[in-house]
Amino acid sequence: MNYTIGVDLGGSHVACGCVSIDGEITGYSERPVDRTASPEKIISEDVCGVIRDCLEKNAAVRDGIKGIGIGIPGRTDSKNGICVFAPNLGWRDVNVSEPVSREFGLPVFILNDARAMAVGEKHFGNGKGCDNFVCIAVGTGVGGGIVAGGRLLLGANEAAGEIGHITVEPEGPVCGCGNHGCAEALASRLGIVKRAENAIDAGAETILARENLSSKDIYDAAVKGDRLSLKIWEDTGIYLGRAIANIATTVNPERILFSGRVSNAWEFFLPALKKELKERARMVPVEKMEFMKARFEDNAGIVGNAGRAFECLGLLK
């Protein structure tokens, strides 16, 4: 059987697994990423490190491994293996493919991490058999991948699908990309926590503790009926709904798939999201759109990047 290695490089950790051509993962490895380190150090120590771990765990199928797919949290030039801009890592024009390929003697293919998630769902997950769908990853950042007419939509410069950088609040906080009021600045894990902290500082009544606050704390408090936490999630749905309205009006998807840790709270933000979407996407029959969680959840990046490697090698269409 043919295998590829899928690598998911995020803003806080890098994960890796060996994936068969039918989408099964073995030999999972993970390690934290020090975002203050140089790109070269992160690639040589963290990225190559988890790949070495993965290869050791999959020695029995080593000869069947045909390539490596790496997901990058930013804009890529996949043809030349370069990360053009990754705001959460502070990278600009970093060659990723060449040093990794040299280290392991395998072809290396890179892609934006959320776009790769869409590839994985297309071949192996809840996008299988659906020709028009959008994947949205809501975690440290907000990423997106669009499949239109059965094909991944990349655009002229591989920037198609940057849902997290659609402006949803023009006078909102500064995003990592430099713009004000991006969906990522408001609806990502970090954005959600910041909004809650600001509300607490302003004197909002809540059971939340300001110190070491996390999005999980806000979720747990919402489960208990905390009014501030419920409002934070409702506003998250509004911001995501505005972003999705722009995408829906442009590509008219059949299905929206959610991934990432924040998506675990979708029972609190999905009603507001749907209401906002209906209000703003008047020319699209949004009532026909399906909302689902991505099949692979936290492993979406691994499976997606492995799937992208299979595509680039001509083993999947």
Side-chain angles (χ1 to χ4, degrees):
M1 184 178 289
N2 291 321
Y3 295 85
T4 57
I5 291 174
V7 181
D8 184 16
L9 175 60
S12 60
H13 74 284
V14 57
C16 175
C18 183
V19 181
S20 68
I21 200 163
D22 57 5
E24 296 298 319
I25 304 173
T26 61
Y28 179 88
S29 298
E30 181 180 339
R31 65 173 61 190
V33 169
D34 179 5
R35 288 194 288 178
T36 64
S38 68
E40 294 76 16
K41 185 175 181 180
I42 291 173
I43 293 169
S44 64
E45 296 187 6
D46 299 328
V47 174
C48 288
V50 292
I51 294 173
R52 288 188 203 98
D53 293 343
C54 184
L55 289 170
E56 289 175 5
K57 293 176 181 179
N58 290 281
V61 299
R62 177 65 177 83
D63 291 342
I65 297 174
K66 305 300 182 183
I68 299 171
I70 303 175
I72 308 293
R75 189 158 66 85
T76 59
D77 172 2
S78 61
K79 181 179 179 180
N80 294 302
I82 293 171
C83 169
V84 178
F85 179 41
N88 288 330
L89 290 172
W91 288 11
R92 283 188 182 274
D93 299 320
V94 176
N95 193 314
V96 179
S97 294
E98 193 274 331
V100 178
S101 180
R102 185 175 64 244
E103 177 72 19
F104 298 104
L106 289 167
V108 175
F109 309 96
I110 70 167
L111 189 65
N112 169 270
D113 53 359
R115 255 70 99 202
M117 179 186 77
V119 173
E121 292 296 320
K122 171 179 179 285
H123 291 299
F124 312 117
N126 289 335
K128 194 170 184 178
C130 182
D131 285 342
N132 299 279
F133 68 91
V134 176
C135 283
I136 303 176
V138 191
T140 304
V142 176
I146 301 169
V147 171
R151 298 175 65 87
L152 179 67
L153 184 64
L154 288 177
N157 303 107
E158 298 188 27
E162 286 291 348
I163 295 169
H165 298 287
I166 292 173
T167 301
V168 296
E169 194 70 77
E171 304 303 319
V174 178
C175 180
C177 73
N179 184 33
H180 282 263
C182 289
E184 178 167 296
L186 290 156
S188 67
R189 178 174 55 83
L190 299 178
I192 289 167
V193 170
K194 184 64 176 176
R195 286 190 286 114
E197 289 174 341
N198 290 342
I200 294 170
D201 291 343
E205 184 176 338
T206 180
I207 63 174
L208 293 171
R210 175 68 164 75
E211 189 175 358
N212 298 320
L213 187 63
S214 70
S215 58
K216 185 178 184 304
D217 294 331
I218 301 168
Y219 172 79
D220 291 341
V223 171
K224 295 175 182 177
D226 180 66
R227 292 180 64 183
L228 173 61
S229 299
L230 290 168
K231 181 66 166 59
I232 292 294
W233 289 117
E234 180 183 1
D235 288 346
T236 299
I238 290 171
Y239 295 133
L240 290 173
R242 290 175 184 173
I244 293 170
N246 283 278
I247 296 296
T249 303
T250 305
V251 299
N252 186 25
E254 304 166 53
R255 190 174 296 167
I256 305 291
L257 303 180
F258 286 100
S259 183
R261 295 176 184 177
V262 171
S263 67
N264 292 329
W266 81 334
E267 71 265 34
F268 294 120
F269 69 72
L270 193 59
L273 186 160
K274 289 182 176 180
K275 181 179 178 182
E276 189 73 10
L277 175 61
K278 187 175 181 179
E279 285 293 318
R280 295 189 179 273
R282 300 286 181 122
M283 298 299 291
V284 181
V286 294
E287 67 278 0
K288 295 183 179 181
M289 287 169 54
E290 296 180 282
F291 292 84
M292 301 172 65
K293 289 188 179 181
R295 175 186 170 188
F296 296 103
E297 296 290 337
D298 292 338
N299 292 326
I302 292 174
V303 176
N305 287 293
R308 180 60 172 176
F310 279 125
E311 283 187 342
C312 293
L313 290 163
L315 299 172
L316 282 176
K317 294 182 178 180

